[in-house]
Amino acid sequence: MIDDTGMQTARVLNEALPYIQRLAGRTVVIKYGGNAMVDEALKTSFARNVVLMKQVGVNPVIVHGGGPQIGRMLDALGKESRFVGGMRVTDSETMDLVEMVLGGQVNKNIVSLINQHGGRAVGLTGKDGTLIRAHALPPQQDADQPDEIIDLGHVGQVEAIDPGIVHVLEDNGFIPVIAPIGVDAQGRSYNINADLVASRVATTLGAEKLLLLTNATGILDDDGALITHTDLDAVDAMIAQGTIAGGMLPKVACVHEALDAGVGAVQIIDGRVENAVLLELFTDAGVGTLVRR
C-alpha cells in the first residue's frame, strides 16, 4: 500500500511537469540575498533548488549580494560605514574589502555549497571576461544633510554586460555565480547594487524569468494581503497611490527595467521560505508576486 506521502510526491511531480517543459533550455536569473544567504537550512535548500533546476534543463544564473557580510568585516576592522540614499560610501580601502568579501568569501561559499550538492558552479566577478563594465555614480545629495553633496567613491552603475563568459559556462553545464563588482576602462573596481546587476544580466541574456529573493512576502495590497499576479500598469498605479513604498520601490524599479527590456516575467519571492525557488518556478502555489508586462 502506497502511503499518502508517496502519493503527494507523485502529484507534486506531475504538477511540476508543464513548468519544467516551459522552462527547459531557458535561462532564469536569480538575485540571491537576504535571509536565504544567512540561515543554514535556507542556504542548503537554495543550493539544492539550483542544482535541480540545472538537472531538469533550466539554466540558472546567480547574482548575489553581501551587504551584511561587508558591514561585519568593516566593523571588525573598526571602519565606519556611511550610507547615502541606501548606498554605502566606498573609498579605495573599502573597495578592497568589498572585493575580498563579495568576490572572495561570499562568492566562493555559494559556489562551494552548490558543488557540494552535485552542481558545477563557477564564481565570477565583473572583472572576469569584462563581464560587467561600469562607471561611477555621480555625487549624491545626503537626505539627512540636504546642503551636502557626497562623492560615493567606488559605487558604480552598470554601463554594459558582456555575456560571453556566461554563455560559455552555460553551454558546458556550469552554473555561473556572479558577484556584483564592475570595472571601468581604466581597471577601477566598483561596488554595484546586486538587484540592478541581476536585472541587467537578465535583460542581456534574454532570460525567461528574473527571480528576486527578498526578506518580504512580495507585493502587498492596501489590506496587507499578498498579490500573487500583477502587471506593470497595476504596479505603477500602486506606486502612485503609495501602496508600494519604502524598501519595495528599488525592487520594483528593477522589475520595470527588466520587463521593459524584454524579460518574460519577474518574480519577487520570499527567500525566508524553504525551497522558495522551486515553489515559485514549478508549482501552482508560489511564494511571492509574479509581474508581467
Side-chain angles (χ1 to χ4, degrees):
M1 185 75 176
I2 299 174
D3 63 17
D4 289 342
T5 301
M7 294 298 292
Q8 178 62 24
T9 300
R11 280 193 288 269
V12 169
L13 290 172
N14 260 330
E15 182 182 308
L17 179 60
Y19 296 101
I20 292 171
Q21 291 172 325
R22 197 175 304 140
L23 290 172
R26 307 306 298 268
T27 294
V28 174
V29 175
I30 306 171
K31 188 275 175 158
Y32 179 44
N35 276 29
M37 284 183 66
V38 178
D39 180 274
E40 290 301 322
L42 295 176
K43 286 163 61 177
T44 297
S45 78
F46 175 79
R48 292 174 64 87
N49 288 184
V50 168
V51 172
L52 181 57
M53 288 172 65
K54 192 70 173 178
Q55 192 68 41
V56 298
V58 184
N59 292 318
V61 175
I62 316 303
V63 178
H64 65 83
Q69 292 90 334
I70 294 168
R72 286 196 294 271
M73 178 65 77
L74 291 171
D75 288 344
L77 295 173
K79 190 170 178 64
E80 183 181 359
S81 294
R82 181 178 183 183
F83 291 88
V84 175
M87 295 171 287
R88 189 190 305 275
V89 178
T90 307
D91 59 19
S92 295
E93 183 182 24
T94 301
M95 189 64 224
D96 288 341
L97 288 168
V98 168
E99 288 202 71
M100 181 177 70
V101 174
L102 276 186
Q105 180 189 38
V106 175
N107 186 273
K108 300 315 173 191
N109 283 346
I110 297 168
V111 167
S112 178
L113 194 59
I114 292 172
N115 291 345
Q116 284 175 38
H117 291 281
R120 300 172 69 209
V122 174
L124 303 167
T125 75
K127 290 185 169 182
D128 294 302
T130 321
L131 171 60
I132 306 171
R133 181 59 61 87
H135 59 264
L137 274 175
Q140 304 288 308
Q141 186 177 50
D142 189 343
D144 296 327
Q145 302 178 52
D147 295 332
E148 190 174 0
I149 304 297
I150 305 297
D151 182 354
L152 299 175
H154 291 260
V155 175
Q157 57 189 19
V158 178
E159 194 172 287
I161 302 288
D162 183 344
I165 190 169
V166 175
H167 288 317
V168 169
L169 292 172
E170 282 188 326
D171 292 345
N172 286 278
F174 293 98
I175 300 169
V177 180
I178 302 169
I181 297 168
V183 63
D184 67 13
Q186 288 72 45
R188 288 185 289 262
S189 300
Y190 295 94
N191 184 17
I192 309 174
N193 178 278
D195 288 344
L196 297 176
V197 171
S199 176
R200 288 295 297 272
V201 167
T203 59
T204 303
L205 293 174
E208 180 69 17
K209 290 178 181 286
L210 168 63
L211 271 57
L212 302 175
L213 267 69
T214 70
N215 283 344
T217 310
I219 298 176
L220 307 180
D221 64 18
D222 286 328
D223 297 321
L226 175 67
I227 299 170
T228 57
H229 296 76
T230 189
D231 58 37
L232 284 183
D233 288 341
V235 165
D236 289 341
M238 285 186 281
I239 292 172
Q241 295 161 4
T243 304
I244 296 175
M248 189 55 69
L249 286 173
K251 302 286 183 189
V252 170
C254 292
V255 171
H256 236 299
E257 179 180 326
L259 292 176
D260 286 341
V263 173
V266 183
Q267 291 161 261
I268 301 174
I269 64 176
D270 191 344
R272 300 168 298 181
V273 176
E274 197 166 341
N275 297 310
V277 171
L278 293 188
L279 286 167
E280 191 64 30
L281 286 180
F282 298 141
T283 75
D284 296 334
V287 288
T289 302
L290 182 147
V291 188
R292 297 188 183 277
R293 281 202 59 78

